[in-house]
Amino acid sequence: MKISKAVAAAAAAVALALTATACGGSNDKAASDGGASGDAKKDKIVVGIKFDQPGLGLKTPDGKYTGFDVDVATYVAKELGYQPDQIEFKQAVSAERENLIANGDVKFIVATYSINDKRKEKVDFAGPYFLAHQDLLVRADDTSITKVEDLNKKKLCSVTGSTSAQNIKKTLAPEADLQEYPGYSDCLSGLENKAVDALTTDNSILAGYAAQEKNKGKFKLVGLSMSNENYGIGLKKGDKDLQTKINAALKKMVADGAWEAAVKKNLGPANYKNEPAPQITEGS
Amino acid sequence: MFDFLESGQYDVLGAFWVTVQLTLYSAAGSLIWGTVLAGMRVSPVPLMRGFGTAYVNVVRNTPLTVLILACSLGLSQTLGVNLGGDTFKETGFRLAVLGLTAYTGTFVCEALRSGINTVPVGQAEAARALGLSFFQVLTLIVLPQAFRAVIAPLTNVLIALTKNTTVAATIGVAEAALLMKEMIENEPQALFAVFAVFALGFLVLTLPTGLLLGWVAKRVAVKR
């Protein structure tokens, strides 16, 4: 009797879990279908962004989304015919970006997504919409780093497995003492405590941290351009139609000044000298 | 499909070697620390029993990631305790071994305590009747028999430890999981192949451990 009760309870739990996932699955499908059929029924569009990068893509504690990537995503979605309240933002962690796109979980991804050849094997890009460089964030009173060679005697911090971390290890400064943490915020406390001398990644991301209210005046960007990162908007491979539409939207955004305003608003407080909007190179 | 392995860009064996080293150091450390803890938990001194119980229940119920991050962010970055290492590579490794030992020790302790329960009470009573102290009873009579009874559960702990070493990637120890992150960052087109390589790597490490120690457990078990 006891056993059969337990079995029944377990079966009920499994059934519940199954229906729950089934619901989730069908909802997602409906949302992406709505996006795919485009003009027919415009209910919602799912866009991938980062949730943890201040200045670029950040989910605030009250559930709002802020940042440059968010502004670009909103503008592009508007050009595709979606109002801001029809946009559903989904977190696109770096390692999952290709799969989110390939599975149709998101329509496109605006998440500091550098265009490169290996990624293009899995997805297509529109853009680029932003040119960033790998740079360093140091304490505001630190003047000891002026060139890349100075890094070899320094303690650096970056994110585990990121391209920036690999660049340091393999080419830029192989002798630098590099600490890798899961997130940039973990590095910031070390930088403040003088356990590390510099935090390295794309200057746009660094500027976002430096521009945060709680960090104002504590850190500064060194201004070394150690690499070129062309951020593109990732979308499903072979979707030429969407690519053309997004490229047109990006061109319009630069032309009407919304691009410049978004950069100033989100990254400006860190005295970040942004590059002019890059030429669109992806697609025809 | 696996051509990223032939580029020579990734030292997969080297990364797994760090995993093996982490496992071995932490296994040795947690065996010692776990035995000490087990001794405390069965000791006649209430203070020691209390400490052992409190430690085991707090540490084993704390997520390993939190423990290891606390070692790195708290101990090393904030308090400046670097365990004698000069570079982040050294300190990271040592802190990871510390965190893994503190965590795995609790599981070793509980496995051993169950082993101690397999030793008939009469043995300890007889030993005490001969005039042996608690420490002598424990080390000469009880623990040798207890260990032989718990090799199989300890094997599970060791296998779990092997896989838990991947958490060390959180604080930047260059072991298998960290290399996997790098490879996923660089080779998104071969995501599942990368996963397969590392899954296979861990199978190669853990399957023989299980088989070998399973055989040992059968050989040395005390037949009662």
Side-chain angles (χ1 to χ4, degrees):
Chain A
M1 194 56 203
K2 259 184 189 157
I3 292 172
S4 63
K5 249 187 198 166
V7 170
V14 170
L16 215 81
L18 282 178
T19 37
T21 43
C23 278
S26 64
N27 274 349
D28 282 357
K29 195 139 198 306
S32 63
D33 278 355
S37 52
D39 300 337
K41 62 173 209 287
K42 286 178 186 167
D43 46 357
K44 236 179 192 182
I45 184 167
V46 187
V47 180
I49 57 164
K50 288 268 171 71
F51 277 13
D52 55 355
Q53 285 180 350
L56 292 162
L58 183 73
K59 185 174 185 180
T60 56
D62 54 1
K64 291 202 180 74
Y65 303 94
T66 63
F68 177 66
D69 280 345
V70 175
D71 290 347
V72 171
T74 313
Y75 193 97
V76 168
K78 192 186 84 200
E79 291 300 305
L80 294 175
Y82 296 92
Q83 289 309 307
D85 57 348
Q86 287 172 300
I87 306 172
E88 185 189 322
F89 288 110
K90 197 175 171 91
Q91 185 168 26
V93 180
S94 293
E96 286 171 14
R97 290 181 295 206
E98 288 78 17
N99 277 342
L100 282 175
I101 294 174
N103 296 343
D105 293 333
V106 296
K107 188 80 176 159
F108 57 84
I109 285 184
V110 196
T112 61
Y113 202 1
S114 300
I115 300 173
N116 71 32
D117 288 341
K118 290 233 166 100
R119 285 171 183 165
K120 275 199 250 179
E121 285 179 31
K122 263 285 186 66
V123 300
D124 271 345
F125 286 98
Y129 63 93
F130 196 80
L131 174 59
H133 306 287
Q134 184 171 353
D135 197 0
L136 299 164
L137 189 73
V138 294
R139 288 180 293 275
D141 56 356
D142 189 347
T143 52
S144 61
I145 303 173
T146 49
K147 53 186 187 300
V148 178
E149 287 73 40
D150 293 339
L151 292 177
N152 276 323
K153 325 182 270 292
K154 292 289 180 184
K155 290 179 182 291
L156 292 183
C157 190
S158 192
V159 162
T160 316
S162 64
T163 315
S164 320
Q166 294 184 45
N167 284 345
I168 291 287
K169 275 194 278 192
K170 287 186 181 132
T171 51
L172 293 172
E175 279 159 44
D177 197 4
L178 179 70
Q179 170 76 57
E180 292 176 60
Y181 275 133
Y184 296 109
S185 10
D186 301 317
C187 289
L188 275 182
S189 68
L191 188 58
E192 226 181 323
N193 296 334
K194 307 198 174 179
V196 297
D197 300 315
L199 161 55
T200 180
T201 182
D202 298 353
N203 51 10
S204 53
I205 299 174
L206 295 175
Y209 280 104
Q212 265 186 312
E213 200 58 50
K214 59 179 180 201
N215 294 330
K216 269 212 181 114
K218 283 189 194 161
F219 309 114
K220 67 170 185 200
L221 288 160
V222 175
L224 302 175
S225 297
M226 300 190 280
S227 73
N228 291 325
E229 308 290 338
N230 278 300
Y231 292 166
I233 295 181
L235 49 100
K236 199 164 213 152
K237 192 148 184 64
D239 196 344
K240 290 279 167 225
D241 183 40
L242 183 62
Q243 191 184 36
T244 318
K245 276 186 192 159
I246 294 182
N247 278 338
L250 289 175
K251 274 184 197 145
K252 191 173 165 201
M253 187 174 182
V254 174
D256 69 9
W259 187 88
E260 192 76 28
V263 175
K264 284 276 171 304
K265 185 183 96 190
N266 293 300
L267 306 172
N271 289 329
Y272 173 63
K273 315 258 180 315
N274 66 289
E275 302 266 344
Q279 284 297 312
I280 306 266
T281 53
E282 298 301 306
S284 43
Chain B
M1 192 180 178
F2 289 95
D3 40 351
F4 57 89
L5 285 178
E6 281 141 30
S7 65
Q9 202 182 339
Y10 306 108
D11 185 10
V12 178
L13 287 180
F16 270 106
W17 175 231
V18 178
T19 297
V20 170
Q21 283 176 308
L22 269 180
T23 310
L24 291 180
Y25 282 115
S26 314
S30 50
L31 199 60
I32 296 167
W33 179 225
T35 311
V36 173
L37 279 174
M40 283 185 191
R41 291 206 71 176
V42 297
S43 87
V45 186
L47 190 68
M48 285 175 110
R49 272 207 311 276
F51 170 80
T53 312
Y55 177 90
V56 166
N57 281 314
V58 169
V59 174
R60 96 177 147 177
N61 291 311
T62 308
L64 180 57
T65 315
V66 174
L67 280 179
I68 288 194
L69 259 185
C71 283
S72 183
L73 283 174
L75 270 185
S76 170
Q77 302 254 322
T78 310
L79 298 177
V81 182
N82 284 329
L83 301 178
D86 292 326
T87 61
F88 283 132
K89 204 177 156 199
E90 284 173 24
T91 54
F93 185 86
R94 291 171 190 196
L95 291 166
V97 170
L98 177 74
L100 285 166
T101 302
Y103 182 73
T104 316
T106 63
F107 294 93
V108 172
C109 163
E110 290 303 272
L112 256 184
R113 208 159 61 92
S114 75
I116 290 172
N117 288 336
T118 67
V119 181
V121 187
Q123 298 232 357
E125 282 168 351
R128 216 174 309 138
L130 285 173
L132 299 186
S133 68
F134 168 76
F135 190 70
Q136 283 171 320
V137 174
L138 193 68
T139 51
L140 296 175
I141 311 293
V142 177
L143 277 183
Q145 298 186 64
F147 262 114
R148 291 167 67 174
V150 295
I151 288 181
L154 281 185
T155 310
N156 291 340
V157 174
L158 179 62
I159 287 175
L161 170 64
T162 311
K163 295 181 287 180
N164 283 345
T165 56
T166 50
V167 176
T170 321
I171 58 168
V173 180
E175 45 68 71
L178 191 124
L179 183 65
M180 186 171 91
K181 274 201 162 172
E182 286 190 7
M183 286 165 79
I184 290 173
E185 172 89 12
N186 297 347
E187 319 282 342
Q189 81 290 357
L191 184 64
F192 295 106
V194 170
F195 273 127
V197 167
F198 284 92
L200 186 75
F202 276 97
L203 275 185
V204 168
L205 286 183
T206 52
L207 268 184
T209 315
L211 291 175
L212 178 75
L213 288 176
W215 175 77
V216 172
K218 265 194 201 133
R219 286 288 304 260
V220 302
V222 185
K223 304 279 187 305
R224 291 204 170 94

